[in-house]
Amino acid sequence: VAGCLPPLAESYRTDRVGSFEANVAQYTLIAESIAPYSDVLLCETMSTPDEARAAATAASKIGKPVWVAWTLDKNDPVLMTGESLSAAVAALEGLPNIKAILFNCSYPEIVTKAIAILRKEPSLPAGVVLGGYANGFSQTESGDGLSKEYRDISPEEYWGSFAKQWIDDAGDGAIVGGCCGIFPPHIARLRAGIDRELSPQRDGRAML
């Protein structure tokens, strides 16, 4: 069971992230309340370095594994603030029990780029697992090229075009799943793909 430490104000709104001190106090209350019922504490949909550090600071005090998941800019593999993935890693420096760095609640194409970049990040702590659980839709240009339209992603495409690549790029222990717009058929396809389609060399390298 992953107990969630979510944005305290509004997802994607970096301008509404509270002060570090206030956030730590609120996240500590959440972490202490859900820890008895959780195997992992998941700080998810983090949009700024301070927000993530506040949530992870509170979670790491509990002594259980902590996963931190970032939401990304819709056009580029950077944080919602425009800061780099290096800044995301730096925000967690020195905190104990950080076991995974993930990307969530973002377009899957951006998650693919972000995992590949993070895998090569020199400051990534040894032993930290990577992965992603993206949204089940993407953005495409309209027929006239003047506006953007949403496009739903099928379970087959989500696995074959995205999640399978995340497992390849993330390396051993990759964590994959789904966020907004991901439904039971998508998860079933991930399960089947992990169980039946990974090569023997990659067997056991992914977690759903």
Tab-separated table of all heavy atoms in Angstrom, residues 23-59:
chain	number	residue	atom	x	y	z
A	23	ASN	N	4.418	23.787	4.828
A	23	ASN	CA	4.192	22.521	4.138
A	23	ASN	C	4.726	21.336	4.935
A	23	ASN	O	4.081	20.287	5.015
A	23	ASN	CB	4.832	22.546	2.753
A	23	ASN	CG	4.029	23.353	1.759
A	23	ASN	OD1	2.879	23.704	2.007
A	23	ASN	ND2	4.623	23.648	0.620
A	24	VAL	N	5.907	21.494	5.528
A	24	VAL	CA	6.460	20.401	6.332
A	24	VAL	C	5.512	20.056	7.476
A	24	VAL	O	5.266	18.875	7.763
A	24	VAL	CB	7.854	20.768	6.877
A	24	VAL	CG1	8.294	19.755	7.937
A	24	VAL	CG2	8.882	20.818	5.760
A	25	ALA	N	4.955	21.076	8.122
A	25	ALA	CA	4.044	20.829	9.240
A	25	ALA	C	2.814	20.044	8.782
A	25	ALA	O	2.387	19.082	9.444
A	25	ALA	CB	3.624	22.153	9.868
A	26	GLN	N	2.241	20.429	7.658
A	26	GLN	CA	1.045	19.740	7.172
A	26	GLN	C	1.371	18.345	6.653
A	26	GLN	O	0.619	17.390	6.896
A	26	GLN	CB	0.382	20.572	6.073
A	26	GLN	CG	-0.204	21.886	6.581
A	26	GLN	CD	-0.955	22.628	5.500
A	26	GLN	OE1	-1.976	22.162	4.997
A	26	GLN	NE2	-0.437	23.794	5.128
A	27	TYR	N	2.495	18.218	5.963
A	27	TYR	CA	2.874	16.905	5.465
A	27	TYR	C	3.235	15.950	6.602
A	27	TYR	O	3.010	14.736	6.509
A	27	TYR	CB	4.036	17.021	4.482
A	27	TYR	CG	3.630	17.423	3.088
A	27	TYR	CD1	4.251	18.490	2.435
A	27	TYR	CD2	2.629	16.736	2.405
A	27	TYR	CE1	3.889	18.856	1.146
A	27	TYR	CE2	2.256	17.101	1.107
A	27	TYR	CZ	2.891	18.154	0.494
A	27	TYR	OH	2.526	18.515	-0.791
A	28	THR	N	3.796	16.481	7.679
A	28	THR	CA	4.104	15.640	8.834
A	28	THR	C	2.829	15.048	9.421
A	28	THR	O	2.774	13.866	9.778
A	28	THR	CB	4.862	16.445	9.896
A	28	THR	OG1	6.131	16.873	9.361
A	28	THR	CG2	5.117	15.609	11.144
A	29	LEU	N	1.780	15.867	9.522
A	29	LEU	CA	0.492	15.378	10.016
A	29	LEU	C	-0.054	14.265	9.119
A	29	LEU	O	-0.519	13.225	9.610
A	29	LEU	CB	-0.506	16.531	10.097
A	29	LEU	CG	-1.938	16.166	10.515
A	29	LEU	CD1	-1.953	15.555	11.909
A	29	LEU	CD2	-2.836	17.402	10.462
A	30	ILE	N	0.036	14.470	7.810
A	30	ILE	CA	-0.456	13.455	6.877
A	30	ILE	C	0.366	12.180	6.989
A	30	ILE	O	-0.179	11.063	7.090
A	30	ILE	CB	-0.412	13.984	5.429
A	30	ILE	CG1	-1.389	15.149	5.261
A	30	ILE	CG2	-0.737	12.866	4.435
A	30	ILE	CD1	-1.281	15.858	3.928
A	31	ALA	N	1.685	12.322	6.981
A	31	ALA	CA	2.560	11.154	7.014
A	31	ALA	C	2.355	10.334	8.280
A	31	ALA	O	2.266	9.097	8.230
A	31	ALA	CB	4.016	11.594	6.898
A	32	GLU	N	2.261	11.001	9.418
A	32	GLU	CA	2.068	10.281	10.676
A	32	GLU	C	0.700	9.603	10.731
A	32	GLU	O	0.556	8.541	11.343
A	32	GLU	CB	2.227	11.244	11.855
A	32	GLU	CG	3.662	11.727	12.043
A	32	GLU	CD	3.790	12.769	13.142
A	32	GLU	OE1	2.741	13.293	13.587
A	32	GLU	OE2	4.931	13.051	13.569
A	33	SER	N	-0.291	10.191	10.057
A	33	SER	CA	-1.642	9.635	10.084
A	33	SER	C	-1.783	8.404	9.200
A	33	SER	O	-2.506	7.457	9.538
A	33	SER	CB	-2.657	10.702	9.639
A	33	SER	OG	-2.648	11.810	10.512
A	34	ILE	N	-1.094	8.397	8.063
A	34	ILE	CA	-1.265	7.287	7.116
A	34	ILE	C	-0.189	6.223	7.238
A	34	ILE	O	-0.369	5.110	6.734
A	34	ILE	CB	-1.318	7.801	5.666
A	34	ILE	CG1	0.011	8.437	5.249
A	34	ILE	CG2	-2.471	8.789	5.486
A	34	ILE	CD1	0.047	8.887	3.789
A	35	ALA	N	0.912	6.524	7.914
A	35	ALA	CA	2.030	5.575	7.990
A	35	ALA	C	1.639	4.206	8.542
A	35	ALA	O	2.107	3.181	8.026
A	35	ALA	CB	3.161	6.176	8.810
A	36	PRO	N	0.789	4.130	9.576
A	36	PRO	CA	0.455	2.796	10.100
A	36	PRO	C	-0.235	1.893	9.085
A	36	PRO	O	-0.266	0.672	9.271
A	36	PRO	CB	-0.483	3.113	11.278
A	36	PRO	CG	-0.131	4.506	11.688
A	36	PRO	CD	0.202	5.195	10.398
A	37	TYR	N	-0.781	2.470	8.036
A	37	TYR	CA	-1.541	1.703	7.055
A	37	TYR	C	-0.820	1.622	5.707
A	37	TYR	O	-1.392	1.146	4.728
A	37	TYR	CB	-2.917	2.348	6.860
A	37	TYR	CG	-3.563	2.729	8.169
A	37	TYR	CD1	-3.576	4.064	8.600
A	37	TYR	CD2	-4.113	1.762	9.004
A	37	TYR	CE1	-4.140	4.414	9.813
A	37	TYR	CE2	-4.681	2.105	10.232
A	37	TYR	CZ	-4.692	3.431	10.624
A	37	TYR	OH	-5.248	3.776	11.836
A	38	SER	N	0.418	2.085	5.648
A	38	SER	CA	1.144	2.187	4.381
A	38	SER	C	2.450	1.415	4.435
A	38	SER	O	3.129	1.380	5.464
A	38	SER	CB	1.447	3.660	4.064
A	38	SER	OG	0.268	4.435	4.075
A	39	ASP	N	2.801	0.824	3.309
A	39	ASP	CA	4.105	0.185	3.171
A	39	ASP	C	5.140	1.165	2.631
A	39	ASP	O	6.331	1.057	2.913
A	39	ASP	CB	4.006	-1.010	2.217
A	39	ASP	CG	3.012	-2.045	2.701
A	39	ASP	OD1	3.213	-2.587	3.800
A	39	ASP	OD2	2.027	-2.296	1.985
A	40	VAL	N	4.647	2.091	1.811
A	40	VAL	CA	5.480	3.105	1.162
A	40	VAL	C	4.774	4.442	1.304
A	40	VAL	O	3.542	4.513	1.270
A	40	VAL	CB	5.654	2.780	-0.348
A	40	VAL	CG1	6.347	3.918	-1.072
A	40	VAL	CG2	6.408	1.480	-0.532
A	41	LEU	N	5.535	5.523	1.470
A	41	LEU	CA	4.963	6.863	1.460
A	41	LEU	C	5.320	7.519	0.134
A	41	LEU	O	6.491	7.646	-0.218
A	41	LEU	CB	5.479	7.683	2.639
A	41	LEU	CG	5.040	7.164	4.017
A	41	LEU	CD1	5.648	8.019	5.129
A	41	LEU	CD2	3.523	7.128	4.142
A	42	LEU	N	4.287	7.914	-0.605
A	42	LEU	CA	4.452	8.431	-1.968
A	42	LEU	C	4.129	9.922	-2.014
A	42	LEU	O	2.981	10.326	-1.855
A	42	LEU	CB	3.526	7.666	-2.916
A	42	LEU	CG	3.410	8.172	-4.351
A	42	LEU	CD1	4.771	8.170	-5.045
A	42	LEU	CD2	2.405	7.328	-5.126
A	43	CYS	N	5.146	10.730	-2.230
A	43	CYS	CA	4.976	12.176	-2.425
A	43	CYS	C	4.750	12.370	-3.922
A	43	CYS	O	5.686	12.257	-4.710
A	43	CYS	CB	6.222	12.930	-1.978
A	43	CYS	SG	6.811	12.485	-0.331
A	44	GLU	N	3.513	12.635	-4.329
A	44	GLU	CA	3.237	12.606	-5.762
A	44	GLU	C	2.660	13.912	-6.297
A	44	GLU	O	2.129	14.733	-5.568
A	44	GLU	CB	2.311	11.452	-6.110
A	44	GLU	CG	0.910	11.555	-5.587
A	44	GLU	CD	0.035	10.427	-6.126
A	44	GLU	OE1	0.430	9.735	-7.087
A	44	GLU	OE2	-1.065	10.245	-5.570
A	45	THR	N	2.834	14.067	-7.620
A	45	THR	CA	2.412	15.258	-8.355
A	45	THR	C	3.108	16.499	-7.799
A	45	THR	O	2.517	17.575	-7.710
A	45	THR	CB	0.870	15.417	-8.339
A	45	THR	OG1	0.252	14.134	-8.446
A	45	THR	CG2	0.399	16.263	-9.517
A	46	MET	N	4.369	16.344	-7.441
A	46	MET	CA	5.158	17.460	-6.934
A	46	MET	C	5.545	18.368	-8.104
A	46	MET	O	5.963	17.890	-9.156
A	46	MET	CB	6.408	16.953	-6.227
A	46	MET	CG	6.140	16.043	-5.023
A	46	MET	SD	5.558	16.926	-3.552
A	46	MET	CE	3.782	16.628	-3.616
A	47	SER	N	5.416	19.679	-7.902
A	47	SER	CA	5.636	20.608	-9.015
A	47	SER	C	6.807	21.564	-8.813
A	47	SER	O	7.268	22.168	-9.773
A	47	SER	CB	4.360	21.417	-9.278
A	47	SER	OG	4.007	22.182	-8.141
A	48	THR	N	7.272	21.716	-7.562
A	48	THR	CA	8.412	22.597	-7.295
A	48	THR	C	9.417	21.874	-6.409
A	48	THR	O	9.049	20.967	-5.647
A	48	THR	CB	7.990	23.904	-6.597
A	48	THR	OG1	7.754	23.651	-5.203
A	48	THR	CG2	6.738	24.505	-7.234
A	49	PRO	N	10.686	22.269	-6.456
A	49	PRO	CA	11.675	21.646	-5.580
A	49	PRO	C	11.321	21.778	-4.096
A	49	PRO	O	11.444	20.807	-3.336
A	49	PRO	CB	12.965	22.413	-5.919
A	49	PRO	CG	12.778	22.832	-7.342
A	49	PRO	CD	11.319	23.185	-7.441
A	50	ASP	N	10.867	22.961	-3.664
A	50	ASP	CA	10.524	23.148	-2.258
A	50	ASP	C	9.347	22.282	-1.826
A	50	ASP	O	9.329	21.752	-0.709
A	50	ASP	CB	10.196	24.627	-1.988
A	50	ASP	CG	11.374	25.379	-1.396
A	50	ASP	OD1	12.481	24.806	-1.356
A	50	ASP	OD2	11.191	26.535	-0.970
A	51	GLU	N	8.353	22.163	-2.699
A	51	GLU	CA	7.191	21.337	-2.374
A	51	GLU	C	7.615	19.887	-2.163
A	51	GLU	O	7.204	19.239	-1.190
A	51	GLU	CB	6.171	21.424	-3.504
A	51	GLU	CG	4.903	20.611	-3.269
A	51	GLU	CD	3.922	20.727	-4.430
A	51	GLU	OE1	4.369	20.715	-5.607
A	51	GLU	OE2	2.709	20.836	-4.163
A	52	ALA	N	8.437	19.378	-3.061
A	52	ALA	CA	8.893	17.996	-2.957
A	52	ALA	C	9.770	17.789	-1.736
A	52	ALA	O	9.652	16.777	-1.032
A	52	ALA	CB	9.644	17.601	-4.216
A	53	ARG	N	10.647	18.740	-1.468
A	53	ARG	CA	11.528	18.576	-0.306
A	53	ARG	C	10.712	18.607	0.988
A	53	ARG	O	11.005	17.870	1.935
A	53	ARG	CB	12.618	19.638	-0.282
A	53	ARG	CG	13.623	19.396	0.848
A	53	ARG	CD	14.888	20.229	0.743
A	53	ARG	NE	15.793	19.901	1.828
A	53	ARG	CZ	16.650	18.889	1.845
A	53	ARG	NH1	16.719	18.075	0.805
A	53	ARG	NH2	17.432	18.653	2.876
A	54	ALA	N	9.697	19.453	1.049
A	54	ALA	CA	8.859	19.510	2.246
A	54	ALA	C	8.137	18.185	2.469
A	54	ALA	O	8.126	17.636	3.579
A	54	ALA	CB	7.855	20.647	2.127
A	55	ALA	N	7.522	17.653	1.407
A	55	ALA	CA	6.812	16.386	1.535
A	55	ALA	C	7.767	15.249	1.887
A	55	ALA	O	7.482	14.424	2.765
A	55	ALA	CB	6.073	16.069	0.237
A	56	ALA	N	8.910	15.196	1.208
A	56	ALA	CA	9.873	14.126	1.454
A	56	ALA	C	10.529	14.249	2.822
A	56	ALA	O	10.858	13.235	3.448
A	56	ALA	CB	10.929	14.122	0.358
A	57	THR	N	10.720	15.475	3.298
A	57	THR	CA	11.274	15.675	4.638
A	57	THR	C	10.352	15.069	5.686
A	57	THR	O	10.787	14.357	6.599
A	57	THR	CB	11.462	17.172	4.924
A	57	THR	OG1	12.461	17.689	4.031
A	57	THR	CG2	11.901	17.422	6.356
A	58	ALA	N	9.057	15.346	5.550
A	58	ALA	CA	8.085	14.791	6.496
A	58	ALA	C	8.002	13.276	6.374
A	58	ALA	O	7.993	12.555	7.387
A	58	ALA	CB	6.718	15.417	6.244
A	59	ALA	N	7.953	12.777	5.159
A	59	ALA	CA	7.817	11.340	4.952
A	59	ALA	C	9.037	10.573	5.427
A	59	ALA	O	8.923	9.481	5.998
A	59	ALA	CB	7.556	11.054	3.473
